[in-house]
Amino acid sequence: SLTNKYFDMDFQIIEKATQKHTLIIPLYTQELENNLGTILNQFGLPSSILQDFKGGIDETLIIYTSAQTLTEKIVLLGLGEHTKQDVLKNTIRLLINKQKEKVGQDIVLDLNYILKKDTKVGLLVEMCVNGALLATYNIAKFKKEDKPVQFPQTIAQVAIRKGEILANTQKRVFDLVNLPANHLNALQLAEFITESGKIHNFNVKILHLDEIKALGMGGLIAINQGSDIPPTFIIMEYKSESQITKKVGLVGKGVTFDTGGISIKPSEGMWQMKCDMAGAAAVIGAVEATARLQLPVHLIGIIPATDNMINGKAIYPGSIVKTYSGLTIEIEDTDAEGRVILADGLAYMKKNFEPDVMIDLATLTGACVIALGYQAAGLFTNNDNLANQLFSIGEQVGERVWRLPLWDEYEKQIKSDMADVKNLGGRPAGSITAAKFLEKFTDKHPAWAHLDIAGVAFTDNPYSTARSATAYGVRLLVEYLSQNV
Ligand code: BES
Ligand code: MN
Ligand code: ZN
C-alpha cells in the first residue's frame, strides 16, 4: 500500500495504516467479482455493492464504513479492462482532482489487487505518485485569488522521487505552454532556461541576434524578421558525472506564437498558437528532469526560439534564405515556419555535438492532427530500432507515437527550382513532407527521429474548460533516457 497525505504531498510505502484515512482501491473489470468479494468481506459490507460498481474506466464508488476501523471511506476506482498500466495515472489524477473534498487528505492506495506476475512495480508506484501530484496543478495563474501551489517534499524512495520530479517538471512545462505569448517570448524563454540551469545544475548557453546572424542561421533569422522581439538560440547541456553510456541530442521547436506570418492564419482559434513552443517545452522538461534524476547520460537540448509575426520587415513568400548547413530554402509559405527554424537547430546539433541519437519535437503540422488526431504523435525515423523503442515506451507511459513513412518518393513534393529545398509540400501527406524537409538538415544521421506533436501537446482535457497543455514528451523522453542509455 501507498499513502498520500494529500495536502503536504508526503508519500510513504506502508504495510498497515496507523491513522484514519480514505482507502482507494483500483480494480480492473476482469477480476472484479473475486477481488470485490474479498474486500467487502473484510469490511463486513453487503455484496449488493457489486450491482453499483462495474470497474469501468474512471468509475468510482465511495463507501462509508462503520466506526470500528481506521478506514473511514473506501473509494473503489475502476480501471477498465486490464490492458495498459498507464490508465492508473489518469484515473487517480481525475479522482483526486475532481473529488478532493470527498477523498480527503489522508489517502491509502491499495495496489494489491492490481499486481500481476509481470507488473513493473516501480512504474506502477511512479504512475500513482505522478497522477496524484498532477491532480494539484492549478491552471488559474492569472486569477486574482490564485494561491500558490505547494511543491512536494522529497522522500527516499526511487519510484516516489521519480514520480514527484516528473510531476514537478510537467507542471513547469504546463506553465510554459499555457502562458500566453505576451508573457513568454523568445527572450523570456531563454531566461527561464538560464534560471533552470542554475537551479537544476546543467549548462546553458544563449546565442543572441548578432551571434545567430554571424553563425549564418538564416532560417531562424528569416522567420524572426517580422518580429519586434529578437530571436534566441538556446543550448542546454547536462553531462552525468558517472559512467556515461550515450550522448543524446534533443531539438525543440520554440515558436512562442505562430500568426502564420504573411501567409497569415485565420483568426478563429489562433490564440491556440501560443502552444507552438510545446516541442521546446518538452525538451526543457526532459533536460530538467534528467538533470534532477542524475541519469547517466550526456544530454544536449537545443531550441531555436522566435515568434512568427508580421510587420513591415516580415519575410515575403518566395524568399530564398541560406541556412546554417549551407543549404538554401525557398520559403513558399511563411506559415511553414517550424521546419525553417528547426533546419538550423538540427544542423547545429549534428555538426557541433555529433550525438549518438538525435530526436526533435515540434508542433509542426495540422496534417499530423488530421492523420492521427489527438491520440498519438507522428513518429518519423529511418532507424527501426529507435522506432520500436519509442513505440514501446510510448505505450508504457501513455504518450503514444505512431510511425509514418519517410520514403524518398515524397521528396519530389519539396523540390524547388531555385533553391535546395522549399518549405511547402502541398496538401498530400503534409506531415511526411515536413519530416522529409527536416531530414535534409540531419546530414544523414543514422539515429534521428522526428516527433510531430501538433495533435497531442495542447488538447481538450478534464482539467480545464478550453484546451490546455499536456506536457507530452516529458515522460516519453525521460523514460527513453532511463531505459535505453
Ligand atoms: N504550428 C503550426 C502547426 C500546428 C497546427 C500546430 C495545429 C498545432 C496545432 C505550423 O507552423 C503550421 O502552421 N503548419 C502549417 C503548414 C503548412 C503551411 C504547410 C499547417 O499545418 O497548416
Ligand atoms: Mn505555422
Ligand atoms: Zn508553427
Side-chain angles (χ1 to χ4, degrees):
S1 297
L2 185 68
T3 58
N4 166 19
K5 208 169 172 203
Y6 182 76
F7 291 98
D8 58 9
M9 280 301 159
D10 174 14
F11 292 86
Q12 264 174 287
I13 305 280
I14 54 162
E15 293 269 326
K16 217 170 171 212
T18 53
Q19 56 181 17
K20 287 193 187 277
H21 61 269
T22 297
L23 180 64
I24 299 178
I25 311 179
L27 292 163
Y28 289 111
T29 38
Q30 283 102 328
E31 309 96 22
L32 190 65
E33 283 202 25
N34 258 343
N35 285 336
L36 205 48
T38 314
I39 296 160
L40 297 176
N41 242 336
Q42 185 192 332
F43 288 94
L45 295 163
S47 58
S48 51
I49 285 171
L50 269 166
Q51 293 166 9
D52 290 344
F53 184 75
K54 302 289 178 226
I57 284 196
D58 291 329
E59 188 184 341
T60 57
L61 185 74
I62 302 185
I63 304 165
Y64 298 80
T65 60
S66 53
Q68 268 75 2
T69 156
L70 289 174
T71 304
E72 292 182 311
K73 297 174 194 177
I74 300 168
V75 182
L76 302 177
L77 180 61
L79 300 178
E81 299 283 314
H82 174 248
T83 43
K84 296 177 66 207
Q85 278 201 1
D86 79 271
V87 296
L88 186 58
K89 178 191 65 189
N90 294 330
T91 49
I92 287 179
R93 180 178 176 186
L94 198 67
L95 171 72
I96 295 181
N97 181 269
K98 297 296 179 201
Q99 307 197 61
K100 56 170 163 282
E101 278 77 22
K102 280 191 207 161
V103 167
Q105 64 166 326
D106 288 301
I107 298 168
V108 174
L109 260 168
D110 189 344
L111 302 177
N112 290 303
Y113 298 98
I114 54 174
L115 283 181
K116 299 267 169 341
K117 266 206 248 58
D118 60 341
T119 302
K120 291 182 180 158
V121 177
L123 188 62
L124 189 75
V125 171
E126 188 199 317
M127 290 289 185
C128 295
V129 174
N130 199 236
L133 290 171
L134 289 181
T136 67
Y137 177 67
N138 180 8
I139 198 172
K141 302 284 167 183
F142 292 91
K143 296 204 176 168
K144 207 167 153 210
E145 300 91 313
D146 186 18
K147 296 197 185 77
V149 178
Q150 280 206 331
F151 283 131
Q153 296 294 308
T154 318
I155 292 169
Q157 215 283 342
V158 180
I160 287 179
R161 196 171 144 265
K162 190 170 171 193
E164 282 182 337
I165 287 177
L166 283 168
N168 184 228
T169 307
Q170 284 163 294
K171 287 182 186 184
R172 282 164 58 79
V173 170
F174 288 165
D175 276 345
L176 284 177
V177 177
N178 287 333
L179 278 177
N182 69 323
H183 287 268
L184 189 77
N185 60 34
L187 296 168
Q188 289 162 320
L189 189 66
E191 255 169 59
F192 180 100
I193 296 169
T194 303
E195 274 308 297
S196 171
K198 281 185 202 147
I199 300 165
H200 303 113
N201 270 311
F202 58 86
N203 283 324
V204 178
K205 191 172 172 198
I206 311 290
L207 306 183
H208 288 280
L209 184 62
D210 289 347
E211 278 168 291
I212 293 169
K213 273 188 186 155
L215 285 165
M217 296 186 179
L220 182 53
I221 295 294
I223 300 306
N224 179 257
Q225 232 169 265
S227 176
D228 292 339
I229 301 158
T232 51
F233 189 90
I234 303 160
I235 305 162
M236 294 163 264
E237 187 169 9
Y238 158 79
K239 197 168 179 179
S240 167
E241 277 159 22
S242 56
Q243 2 68 285
I244 290 172
T245 35
K246 246 184 206 168
K247 197 199 295 183
V248 177
L250 304 174
V251 183
K253 170 176 172 182
V255 172
T256 55
F257 194 85
D258 183 11
T259 67
I262 302 250
S263 316
I264 194 168
K265 285 182 183 297
S267 64
E268 198 188 314
M270 199 205 269
W271 68 272
Q272 295 177 23
M273 283 303 125
K274 69 178 182 174
C275 83
D276 217 14
M277 35 56 70
V283 169
I284 298 163
V287 175
E288 249 186 48
T290 300
R292 292 184 65 183
L293 292 166
Q294 298 273 293
L295 299 181
V297 288
H298 184 184
L299 184 62
I300 300 113
I302 285 186
I303 293 165
T306 178
D307 45 7
N308 185 19
M309 284 293 292
I310 322 163
N311 63 22
K313 286 183 255 158
I315 188 99
Y316 313 116
S319 297
I320 294 174
V321 299
K322 188 167 184 168
T323 62
Y324 181 78
S325 66
L327 293 173
T328 55
I329 301 173
E330 181 183 357
I331 300 185
E332 197 174 308
D333 189 316
T334 64
D335 197 12
E337 83 296 342
R339 64 196 77 179
V340 178
I341 67 168
L342 285 170
D344 285 334
L346 286 166
Y348 189 93
M349 176 69 86
K350 172 68 177 37
K351 180 156 180 236
N352 295 280
F353 292 100
E354 304 256 1
D356 301 312
V357 177
M358 183 156 89
I359 303 173
D360 76 77
L361 294 94
T363 45
L364 204 62
T365 66
C368 192
V369 190
I370 301 300
L372 299 172
Y374 307 105
Q375 312 308 325
L379 165 65
F380 304 83
T381 179
N382 293 311
N383 185 311
D384 293 345
N385 188 33
L386 185 56
N388 294 337
Q389 285 173 338
L390 289 171
F391 175 77
S392 109
I393 288 163
E395 292 294 311
Q396 285 173 43
V397 304
E399 292 182 356
R400 288 177 150 161
V401 303
W402 192 256
R403 195 176 181 183
L404 291 165
L406 272 175
W407 296 316
D408 282 340
E409 284 78 0
Y410 290 105
E411 212 175 297
K412 61 175 176 292
Q413 288 177 238
I414 50 171
K415 278 222 151 70
S416 161
D417 285 328
M418 296 182 71
D420 292 313
V421 64
K422 62 176 187 168
N423 77 334
L424 190 64
R427 297 202 59 182
S431 57
I432 301 177
T433 52
K436 286 306 279 182
F437 178 99
L438 295 180
E439 188 186 26
K440 291 201 174 289
F441 299 90
T442 63
D443 192 21
K444 302 202 164 64
H445 191 290
W448 160 70
H450 157 58
L451 292 169
D452 192 332
I453 61 169
V456 291
F458 191 77
T459 60
D460 285 321
N461 65 64
Y463 313 105
S464 55
T465 48
R467 285 186 182 182
S468 67
T470 62
Y472 179 98
V474 174
R475 304 202 77 239
L476 179 73
L477 292 170
V478 172
E479 207 47 44
Y480 171 76
L481 293 167
S482 306
Q483 288 183 26
N484 291 288
V485 287

